[in-house]
Amino acid sequence: MLGERHMMRVVGLASVIWAAIFANQALAQDVRITEHQANATVSVNGQTITISRIQDHGHRLTGDFARTSRACPPACVQPMIAARGVATAGELEVLGFLKGPVSLSRGLLIDARMPDDFSRGSLPAAVNVPTATVAPENPYRADILRALGAVEGDRGDLDFTNALDLMLFSNGPWDPAATLMVQHLRESGYPADKINFYRAGLQGWLSLGLSVSAVQNQG
Amino acid sequence: MIRSVIAFFLFAVVVCAAIIFRSDNGTGPPVAGQPAASPAPAPQAATPAAPTTEVTRAEVASMVLPAASSRIAVPGQIQAEPTIRTDTHLSMEDMTNNVLAELGLLPESASTLPQQATARAATATVLRGLNAATGGQSAVQERVDLQSLVVDALKAGQDDATIDQLVNAAAIGGQVAVPEVLVTADGRVDTSVLLANIITQAKVAAGQTAPPTRPDSITDARGVEVRLVQAAQGATEARFYTVQRGDSLGAIAIKFYGNVNQYPRIFEANRQTLSSPDRIRIGQRLVIPDL
């Protein structure tokens, strides 16, 4: 008789403590983005997007983004500086870019990968502009540059004064797509101070547990 | 004393105005008040920039002799300045490859350039995404360029003379830019070199013939000059060529080397005479280096 009641109390107490710990973990959200910022909320094109980190301490990267070694070339280690005058960014800068220029419609977060990769998920609010489409070999690249804000003069030269600010990224620091795109843009005359290079790419973003956009079909 | 000074001054102004308006520029006298230190605009096409250091002298000329500037004869100009727009980024090789790719004559593996249709589709997809993000309305623009002009004409089965007319009409009208090496001494586009190169590369791609090599003998000897130069090791041949009517640098390269892509040799050897590959003139004497 005494044993039963005692047992029930112990079990009850244990459940309460367990629930408290569990609830504490869920409510506390101890995996924040910065000390002062648990999530980032950005408003892009009328849509509100919340970016947070995965809270599960045991979470691991699996699949392709967990790999360390790919054949180089083409998957060689990319430089920290993509081109002279082009700023290299980290995750906090990307979030700041989304909150700033992108929200104000003065900038674009650009995924430089091929459409197949993009459709499997990308950074939130990213637009897909594959590197090959701004390469000199694309006879229609001027149309894309104009969509990015360049204005064509009489003799076919481009004026980039009102062009959008760009933040470029690709798969990771082993993927040359974003670095190459920086070079193509510079070669076309795009101002260096309007280009930003998020070197860590999707792999870096995922390795911090940050939210990605859903699988989508754009266009 | 004063009169002779003024006379000398006016003479100097007349000479300066003659120098200014002798330069091959279609625009009128520079606007008075322009600072003399501004750098010349970037080299673009056939028309060179007026030397801006002459601005101050031109200011004086236009002040002192307002009407005379238009009446001053332009000495030293023998023929009309070509008005064809050239594109230094446009190479014969790339253009020929693109044309062959569009005509379907290149083996798939050899062509690293996207087919026209794929490039267009990819661009259209990107533009849709950008429009969705920016609220813009950009669309793929159909552009007339030399490549599409030639491809359309070839697909339509036009003959060489018609293609020549079409290309020259578009080039002289300023609608298309051409590779520098195709501009002839009389200001036209050398379509025969263009078409011959397409045919040669098509044959090479099909594996029918080996790449073009230097011809053993030159069929047309007009303007060709061969001199024996005595050197320590013995006598060597030096060849010179005087530019004839209708010649382009590409045609000269084919004449002596059998291959239009060898034109840089001739260009580099004649830098003092040729400021750029499209600026050849009838009567120029060019050094033809050996391969």
Side-chain angles (χ1 to χ4, degrees):
Chain A
M1 225 172 45
L2 192 66
E4 247 187 86
R5 213 175 276 166
H6 182 65
M7 270 270 280
M8 270 170 53
R9 268 202 214 119
V10 168
V11 169
L13 197 58
S15 328
V16 167
I17 293 170
W18 173 250
I21 293 171
F22 196 62
N24 193 44
Q25 224 184 32
L27 287 172
Q29 193 178 0
D30 63 343
V31 183
R32 307 165 73 80
I33 292 177
T34 67
E35 201 178 325
H36 309 288
Q37 190 183 25
N39 309 313
T41 311
V42 297
S43 166
V44 175
N45 273 348
Q47 278 186 315
T48 307
I49 303 173
T50 306
I51 300 167
S52 56
R53 296 180 62 189
I54 293 174
Q55 298 301 309
D56 177 9
H57 287 221
H59 188 260
R60 296 276 190 278
L61 279 183
T62 56
D64 260 357
F65 285 113
R67 289 175 60 191
T68 63
S69 308
R70 293 169 174 81
C72 158
C76 300
V77 179
Q78 297 302 304
M80 202 62 191
I81 314 245
R84 194 204 290 234
V86 173
T88 300
E91 292 71 22
L92 296 179
E93 287 76 22
V94 172
L95 290 172
F97 187 78
L98 285 173
K99 284 196 167 184
V102 176
S103 296
L104 295 170
S105 302
R106 282 212 283 269
L108 285 176
L109 178 60
I110 290 187
D111 188 334
R113 301 176 299 159
M114 294 303 280
D116 291 341
D117 288 333
F118 179 74
S119 65
R120 282 191 279 270
S122 181
L123 261 60
V127 180
N128 187 214
V129 181
T131 302
T133 57
V134 293
E137 287 78 24
N138 181 11
Y140 301 102
R141 89 161 163 171
D143 295 326
I144 294 178
L145 293 173
R146 281 187 306 117
L148 292 176
V151 175
E152 205 161 330
D154 296 333
R155 292 183 70 85
D157 53 334
L158 292 167
D159 177 15
F160 291 94
T161 323
N162 293 320
L164 298 170
D165 289 325
L166 307 177
M167 174 75 73
L168 311 178
F169 69 94
S170 57
N171 275 312
W174 46 265
D175 186 355
T179 320
L180 196 53
M181 186 163 177
V182 169
Q183 289 163 7
H184 287 325
L185 287 173
R186 287 294 294 129
E187 182 266 336
S188 78
Y190 217 98
D193 59 355
K194 286 184 188 278
I195 306 175
N196 300 282
F197 169 53
Y198 174 40
R199 177 177 183 265
L202 193 54
Q203 181 167 40
W205 191 264
L206 289 171
S207 72
L208 289 169
L210 288 161
S211 331
V212 290
S213 68
V215 173
Q216 58 193 269
N217 287 314
Q218 243 193 20
Chain B
M1 177 63 193
I2 279 288
R3 263 176 295 189
S4 49
V5 168
I6 291 175
F8 271 123
F9 178 67
L10 290 180
F11 174 69
V13 162
V14 167
V15 168
C16 293
I19 293 171
I20 291 164
F21 295 108
R22 182 176 176 272
S23 69
D24 306 325
N25 197 336
T27 62
V31 175
Q34 229 179 26
S38 55
Q44 277 266 347
T47 57
T52 50
T53 49
E54 314 266 52
V55 169
T56 48
R57 282 182 261 173
E59 273 183 74
V60 174
S62 56
M63 281 192 288
V64 176
L65 300 166
S69 54
S70 55
R71 275 187 269 123
I72 288 171
V74 189
Q77 246 192 354
I78 300 166
Q79 47 222 257
E81 186 61 27
T83 52
I84 293 180
R85 192 158 55 100
T86 58
D87 186 351
T88 49
H89 292 298
L90 199 56
S91 79
M92 278 295 292
E93 262 188 280
D94 284 344
M95 231 196 53
T96 310
N97 278 335
N98 286 346
V99 169
L100 290 176
E102 270 195 73
L103 294 173
L105 294 171
L106 271 188
E108 270 306 315
S109 54
S111 169
T112 52
L113 308 163
Q115 293 277 333
Q116 197 81 341
T118 325
R120 200 180 184 290
T123 307
T125 309
V126 167
L127 287 178
R128 272 199 295 275
L130 286 174
N131 287 341
T134 60
Q137 307 251 333
S138 302
V140 178
Q141 261 190 2
E142 288 313 327
R143 274 188 181 73
V144 174
D145 59 359
L146 182 62
Q147 188 184 308
S148 59
L149 206 58
V150 170
V151 166
D152 291 341
L154 288 173
K155 281 183 177 170
Q158 309 276 16
D159 66 347
D160 287 6
T162 317
I163 295 180
D164 188 65
Q165 267 176 12
L166 285 169
V167 168
N168 274 291
I172 293 172
Q175 290 154 24
V176 298
V178 306
E180 292 175 310
V181 76
L182 290 182
V183 179
T184 68
D186 23 19
R188 288 174 63 79
V189 181
D190 196 338
T191 51
S192 54
V193 167
L194 174 58
L195 294 171
N197 198 45
I198 291 172
I199 293 172
T200 313
Q201 293 305 322
K203 285 187 182 167
V204 169
Q208 283 175 17
T209 54
T213 53
R214 187 191 144 169
D216 294 324
S217 63
I218 293 162
T219 45
D220 182 1
R222 266 180 310 176
V224 181
E225 220 180 297
V226 177
R227 287 173 178 237
L228 282 178
V229 177
Q230 206 66 19
Q233 306 89 326
T236 53
E237 253 183 24
R239 286 189 300 174
F240 303 88
Y241 179 70
T242 309
V243 177
Q244 307 286 311
R245 173 171 292 280
D247 279 342
S248 65
L249 199 56
I252 297 172
I254 289 181
K255 188 188 189 74
F256 289 99
Y257 301 136
N259 186 351
V260 68
N261 294 316
Q262 293 288 350
Y263 84 90
R265 282 181 194 274
I266 305 177
F267 179 52
E268 293 301 326
N270 291 283
R271 279 293 199 151
Q272 284 173 331
T273 321
L274 300 173
S275 53
S276 71
D278 58 330
R279 308 196 125 268
I280 71 172
R281 299 279 179 273
I282 298 173
Q284 279 174 333
R285 189 165 174 269
L286 305 176
V287 174
I288 308 292
D290 274 341
L291 269 177

